Amino acid sequence: MTCRRTSTIAAVALVCALSLLSAPGSAMAAPVAGPLSAAPARPDEPEPKGRNLQEVREELDDLYHEAAVATDAYNAAEEEAKKQSDQIVKLANKIQDLQIERDELKDRAGAAARAQYRSGGVPPQAQLVLSDDPQEFLDGAQRIRQGQHATTKMLGELATAEDDLRLYAEDAGRYWVELDQHTKDQANRKKKIESKIKKAQKLEKQLEKEERARLLQMEQDAEMAAQTAWLSTGVLDDIKSNASAKGARAVAFATKQIGKPYVWGAEGPGSYDCSGLTSQAWAAAGRPIPRTSQEQWRQLPRIAVRDMRPGDLIIYNSDASHVGMYIGDGAIVHAPRPGRNVTLAGAGSMPILGIVRPDK
């Protein structure tokens, strides 16, 4: 198993080396605690004068993490708004059907009233008593009983239809109020997300070209150190499970998106955020899952790391603000953060909260 770990470390190192050439994504999570996050300056690469890039990196990580949390909340509000809209449409259709049913019942009640008026207003029972034909009397009595039963049933249905209309109208009104609130929540969160991203981008733009390259190298060094430490625990020794059929399809979809940009709130096909990528990958595999990383963590079955297999989702950070898809050999595919593209990364390069399996 030592050989397998060594080859895996080498494979992930190659991935990270290639990532540097293509400027792919770094983790959205806070720096790994302890010395692994330090990424000290190399002797031949002195710290740029007047700047502390480690502090800049930490500030950027904080800003992008806050943006990720707000993005998850925005996506959740958007999903809820979709549900409210769908419910309003269903209620509107139901109300329309009930209105048609009510109008038909009113027409029948009106027809019955008009028939009695044409008979001179004499009750059917009285008309029957005046009949000299016994058979006509019996036939008439039967018709009266049937008519009374039908009228009672019709009036009951009319009352029920009126009550249902009132209740559905009240429900629709409540959903409209909730939809309006979710829309306002989305607008507020959108402002917060854009504010955090703009601040981070402004901070990055203030760096010189050499500083930006050094900053990227620091991010990748920290990720590689964290991944190496994670693998050195022997965590992969017991992971032998192969992907399920749906898991393989989800992995195939997700890996085909490599190189596409991260855009917050995006669900493809041209761009993705982290949970947009994982939810769409599993939707393509025929298994719809929750839209946000927090809901994926809350709703999907959790499994132990030793039971992990390709297609499973790894949830990161204590607040479940990031998610990637495990593809095997200690690697994930994920959409890291604004300014980065969908890419491969080490599964242990960010703080792992837990593993969930969509098709368990």
Side-chain angles (χ1 to χ4, degrees), residues 12 14-15 79 95 108 115 147 150 170 177-178 182 187-188 230 251 348:
V12 175
L14 178 60
V15 168
E79 285 297 290
I95 288 172
R108 286 167 56 191
E170 290 175 357
V177 172
E178 293 176 359
H182 284 303
N188 292 333
W230 183 68
V251 168

Side-chain angles (χ1 to χ4, degrees), residues 5 19 33-34 57 107 119 189 229 292 311:
R5 282 202 308 275
S19 298
R57 177 180 167 235
D107 288 343
S119 68
R189 290 185 175 111
T292 69

Side-chain angles (χ1 to χ4, degrees), residues 111-355:
R114 288 191 295 274
Q116 185 171 345
Y117 175 78
R118 286 195 295 271
S119 68
V122 180
Q125 295 88 339
Q127 295 179 33
L128 199 57
V129 170
L130 298 176
S131 174
D132 295 329
D133 187 339
Q135 186 60 46
E136 182 181 346
F137 179 88
L138 293 174
D139 294 342
Q142 179 65 19
R143 287 195 300 273
I144 289 172
R145 283 194 297 271
Q146 292 173 346
Q148 288 175 336
H149 177 73
T151 299
T152 301
K153 181 181 178 182
M154 176 183 64
L155 293 176
E157 290 175 349
L158 180 58
T160 300
E162 293 283 4
D163 288 342
D164 287 346
L165 271 173
R166 176 178 55 79
L167 292 174
Y168 281 125
E170 290 175 357
D171 286 346
R174 186 177 72 255
Y175 281 121
W176 271 116
V177 172
E178 293 176 359
L179 176 60
D180 182 61
Q181 185 59 51
H182 284 303
T183 302
K184 291 178 180 177
D185 289 344
Q186 284 177 276
N188 292 333
R189 290 185 175 111
K190 180 179 180 180
K191 291 179 181 178
K192 182 177 180 179
I193 295 166
E194 292 176 341
S195 173
K196 297 295 181 183
I197 293 175
K198 285 180 180 178
K199 187 174 180 180
Q201 290 174 337
K202 182 178 180 181
L203 182 61
E204 288 186 287
K205 287 180 180 178
Q206 291 174 349
L207 299 174
E208 299 294 338
K209 182 178 179 180
E210 294 77 8
E211 291 176 312
R212 289 196 294 271
R214 173 76 195 288
L215 184 64
L216 178 60
Q217 186 62 57
M218 289 171 65
E219 293 175 353
Q220 294 176 337
D221 287 347
E223 290 175 16
M224 178 54 68
Q227 173 73 356
T228 302
W230 183 68
L231 292 175
S232 67
T233 64
V235 66
L236 296 186
D237 289 352
D238 297 325
I239 300 178
K240 303 179 179 65
S241 300
N242 295 320
S244 65
K246 287 186 177 180
R249 290 198 293 271
V251 168
F253 179 94
T255 53
K256 284 182 180 178
Q257 314 313 311
I258 290 175
K260 294 182 179 179
Y262 176 105
V263 174
W264 69 267
E267 300 177 79
S271 57
Y272 297 87
D273 63 17
C274 67
S275 56
L277 176 65
T278 55
S279 61
Q280 288 301 305
W282 271 100
R287 171 67 172 95
I289 63 173
R291 168 64 176 88
T292 69
S293 58
Q294 292 177 346
E295 286 303 298
Q296 289 169 6
W297 173 243
R298 189 177 71 86
Q299 295 186 33
L300 299 178
R302 300 177 187 180
I303 62 168
V305 174
R306 64 178 179 274
D307 298 322
M308 188 165 56
R309 69 189 186 194
D312 289 343
L313 305 182
I314 303 182
I315 309 297
Y316 294 98
N317 306 322
S318 60
D319 54 7
S321 57
H322 190 63
V323 60
M325 178 178 291
Y326 186 64
I327 62 172
D329 291 327
I332 62 166
V333 58
H334 73 143
R337 64 150 169 98
R340 302 291 193 248
N341 298 330
V342 176
T343 188
L344 299 178
S349 61
M350 296 170 282
I352 296 176
L353 177 60
I355 318 296

